[in-house]
Amino acid sequence: MTDALPPRPAIILVEPQLAENIGMTARAMGNFGLDALRLVAPKGGWPMKGVRETASSATHVLDGATVFPTVAEALADLHYVLATTARERGQMKRVFGLDEGLAQAAGRLAAGERVGILFGRERVGLSNDEVSLADAIVTFPVDPQHASLNLAQSVLLVAYEWRRAAGQAVLPFTGEMRSGAAPREALLSLFESLEADLDAAGYYPLHKRDGMIRNMRDMFHRMAMTEQDVRTFRGALRALARRPPEE
């Protein structure tokens, strides 16, 4: 990571218990360009045995993780904090969906504020007192009958939405054409070859020939053929022409 990268939120895990969840959290963060991981009183201490095995190529996130004894200390230097929860807390606190919540975070980071996103324990999430330390709640549009999310899944959703909100959601590759559009001369030459071969094969009924030719040409035009498409099709026609006659 370099100093040229835009500011990013810190991911704060409160009393995480399972090494694999912390490792998968690091992997989810790495997937979407986050690297500031804070751990509050991880069960069993830190570092945990086996934590690196599930981090894939995001072990740099684990190497840079900082540990705090309390939630308050983990949040002390931050200006804005979002608490994640899947259930209503009965607190007079703003509640955002992922898109709006992460847009708020992106705007504050762009203004020079330090932002953190708080995640609770694997089994019971955040306590009400911990939620009360946050500026707002961010929650997920889950099925109410299946509202529980794995810790790393929650981080993955937030990290993905963060990347979108920060304007960094650029696809790593596209399906754009790698060959230019076929020039009209090449298309007309293909039509002539194909139509001549079909004439020789007796494909066209005499009274329908002209209409069938026009329909077939229109079909090729709708395909918006590239130069490579034309070369491939002509190669296929040549291969058919070389086929020995059936005995």
Side-chain angles (χ1 to χ4, degrees):
M1 303 297 174
T2 69
D3 292 337
L5 290 173
R8 291 151 288 170
I11 298 297
I12 306 151
L13 307 185
V14 177
E15 296 183 1
Q17 182 174 357
L18 301 176
E20 55 265 35
N21 280 340
I22 302 175
M24 288 188 290
T25 289
R27 181 174 184 174
M29 292 172 63
N31 287 151
F32 296 103
L34 300 181
D35 61 0
L37 177 62
R38 300 184 181 192
L39 305 173
V40 178
K43 298 295 185 182
W46 183 258
M48 289 183 179
K49 180 180 179 182
V51 71
R52 301 175 74 84
E53 281 74 1
T54 54
S56 188
S57 60
T59 53
H60 65 282
V61 176
L62 300 175
D63 293 337
T66 51
V67 180
F68 298 86
T70 67
V71 173
E73 289 170 280
L75 307 183
D77 67 325
L78 302 178
H79 301 102
Y80 186 72
V81 177
L82 291 170
T84 62
T85 180
R87 65 183 190 273
E88 197 272 332
R89 298 305 185 110
Q91 299 185 25
M92 296 296 292
K93 192 176 291 291
R94 289 167 297 173
V95 177
F96 297 128
L98 285 179
D99 52 352
E100 188 177 5
L102 274 299
Q104 290 274 342
R108 289 174 177 273
L109 281 160
E113 295 185 22
R114 290 187 293 275
V115 173
I117 304 171
L118 196 59
F119 295 83
R121 302 154 186 84
E122 286 97 333
R123 291 188 58 208
V124 297
L126 295 168
S127 71
N128 286 338
D129 286 342
E130 289 160 349
V131 171
S132 74
L133 298 176
D135 295 277
I137 288 171
V138 65
T139 192
F140 310 92
V142 292
D143 182 338
Q145 302 301 315
H146 303 280
S148 177
L149 286 170
N150 172 271
L151 177 59
Q153 289 175 327
S154 299
V155 173
L156 183 72
L157 289 172
V158 167
Y160 168 75
E161 194 60 45
W162 149 252
R163 196 163 181 84
R164 280 168 38 89
Q168 300 173 33
V170 179
L171 297 178
F173 58 88
T174 69
E176 66 186 14
M177 296 295 182
R178 298 186 181 184
S179 175
R184 192 50 42 114
E185 180 183 27
L187 278 176
L188 295 179
S189 177
L190 172 62
F191 295 162
E192 290 173 2
S193 296
L194 177 59
E195 290 154 13
D197 289 344
L198 291 174
D199 268 327
Y203 174 74
Y204 301 115
L206 184 60
H207 64 290
K208 295 183 178 180
R209 180 181 185 277
D210 290 347
M212 292 176 70
I213 285 176
R214 287 191 293 270
N215 288 341
M216 190 169 292
R217 289 180 179 184
D218 287 341
M219 178 184 71
F220 282 113
H221 286 309
R222 287 194 298 272
M223 293 169 59
M225 298 181 75
T226 66
E227 291 181 286
Q228 182 58 54
D229 293 335
V230 171
R231 288 194 293 270
T232 299
F233 211 98
R234 292 187 70 95
L237 291 177
R238 287 194 295 269
L240 288 173
R242 291 194 301 269
R243 185 180 62 179
E246 296 180 2
E247 297 182 358

